[in-house]
Amino acid sequence: SQTIHQWPATLVQPVGSPLSLECTVEGTSNPNLYWYRQAAGRGLQLLFYSVGIGQISSEVPQNLSASRPQDRQFILSSKKLLLSDSGFYLCAWSDMTYEQYFGPGTRLTVT
Amino acid sequence: ELKVEQNPLFLSMQEGKNYTIYCNYSTTSDRLYWYRQDPGKSLESLFVLLSNGAVKQEGRLMASLDTKARLSTLHITAAVHDLSATYFCAVDEVGNEKLTFGTGTRLTIIP
C-alpha cells in the first residue's frame, strides 16, 4: 500500500531564515505530487505541482520554490521566510485517477 | 478559470437532524471529490464521484453528483457529534492534473 510522509511535523522559524520541507511517497511509481498551504481557518491554496522528476509547475508567485530530485521526493524551500509564510503545509500525491492523498502536514510558524 | 463554491461556509446543527452541503463548480467536469478535515489534521478522502448521477454512501454521509447542473451534494442523515469537521469538495477539470478545492464547510454538531 502507499504511504506519504512529511517532515518535520512542526517548525518555528524566525523571519528571514531559510526553509526546507520534505515529502516522500512509498509504494507507488511516478506519482503526481502537490504542495498546498492552508492558513488558519482557511481553505487550501495550491502552491506547486509536479508530474515528473524535475518538472515543477508554480501556481502562486511568491518567495517559495519546489524541487523534485527523485521520483517520490518533493521538497518545498525558501531562502528567506516572511511572516505571511506561516501556515499548515500539506503534501499530496495522485495517480492516474487524479484522486489526491494527503500527508500528515507540517505546521510552520514564522516569528 | 475553474471556480468551486461551497455553501454554507459554516453550519451548526443539532444531533439527529438532517442537512445538506452544496458544492457548485463553474466548468465541465465529471470527477468530484469530497474530503474531511478534523481540526489540526490533514485531509481524509471521503468520496470519489466519477460520473453524472453517481451516488456514494458511507454511514450517515451520502454524496451525489449532477454534472449537468455542475452540482454535488453531501447529505448528512441523523447527525452525530463525531461528524463535526470541515468538509471540502474538489473538482478535477478535464485535461488538468490538479484539483480545485472549494472553500470548505465547517460543520459543528451540537449535542
Side-chain angles (χ1 to χ4, degrees):
Chain A
S1 64
Q2 299 85 8
T3 311
I4 179 169
H5 304 279
Q6 286 186 247
W7 63 89
T10 60
L11 191 59
V12 180
Q13 292 282 95
V15 168
S17 64
L19 174 73
S20 181
L21 303 181
E22 188 165 343
C23 170
T24 59
V25 181
E26 297 176 354
T28 187
S29 296
N30 197 31
N32 291 344
L33 296 171
Y34 307 83
W35 278 112
Y36 292 88
R37 178 170 61 201
Q38 186 178 34
R42 306 293 294 275
L44 278 76
Q45 179 186 31
L46 178 63
L47 301 175
F48 301 95
Y49 70 97
S50 171
V51 299
I53 296 174
Q55 301 178 62
I56 309 293
S57 297
S58 174
E59 290 294 300
V60 182
Q62 55 202 339
N63 68 322
L64 298 174
S65 62
S67 62
R68 184 170 178 173
Q70 300 181 45
D71 181 43
R72 289 169 289 178
Q73 183 185 31
F74 206 21
I75 297 172
L76 182 70
S77 304
S78 174
K79 292 181 179 178
K80 290 185 177 182
L81 283 168
L82 307 173
L83 284 174
S84 58
D85 291 324
S86 292
F88 191 39
Y89 287 81
L90 289 162
C91 180
W93 73 274
S94 71
D95 54 19
M96 293 307 293
T97 68
Y98 299 117
E99 180 180 6
Q100 292 186 14
Y101 304 90
F102 286 81
T106 295
R107 191 163 305 282
L108 172 66
T109 304
V110 182
T111 60
Chain B
E1 178 187 350
L2 172 58
K3 294 189 186 300
V4 181
E5 295 183 349
Q6 285 182 239
N7 68 82
L9 298 183
F10 298 93
L11 176 57
S12 182
M13 54 191 291
Q14 289 186 316
E15 278 190 330
K17 300 291 186 182
N18 303 333
Y19 210 81
T20 301
I21 298 171
Y22 298 88
C23 174
N24 290 91
Y25 54 97
S26 63
T27 192
T28 301
S29 176
D30 57 3
R31 287 198 288 245
L32 189 136
Y33 309 83
W34 283 96
Y35 290 87
R36 168 181 172 147
Q37 185 179 35
D38 291 310
K41 302 293 185 181
S42 185
L43 273 72
E44 171 191 353
S45 179
L46 290 175
F47 299 110
V48 179
L49 303 169
L50 298 178
S51 61
N52 186 41
V55 177
K56 295 279 185 74
Q57 184 165 5
E58 180 73 32
R60 300 175 187 273
L61 299 178
M62 183 174 70
S64 64
L65 177 61
D66 181 343
T67 59
K68 294 179 181 177
R70 297 178 183 173
L71 170 69
S72 179
T73 60
L74 181 65
H75 187 73
I76 303 147
T77 302
V80 293
H81 180 69
D82 63 6
L83 290 179
S84 295
T86 299
Y87 293 85
F88 291 94
C89 64
V91 178
D92 170 17
E93 189 172 3
V94 175
N96 219 328
E97 295 97 359
K98 57 185 182 179
L99 298 182
T100 299
F101 280 79
T103 49
T105 296
R106 184 179 293 181
L107 173 64
T108 303
I109 309 297
I110 303 168

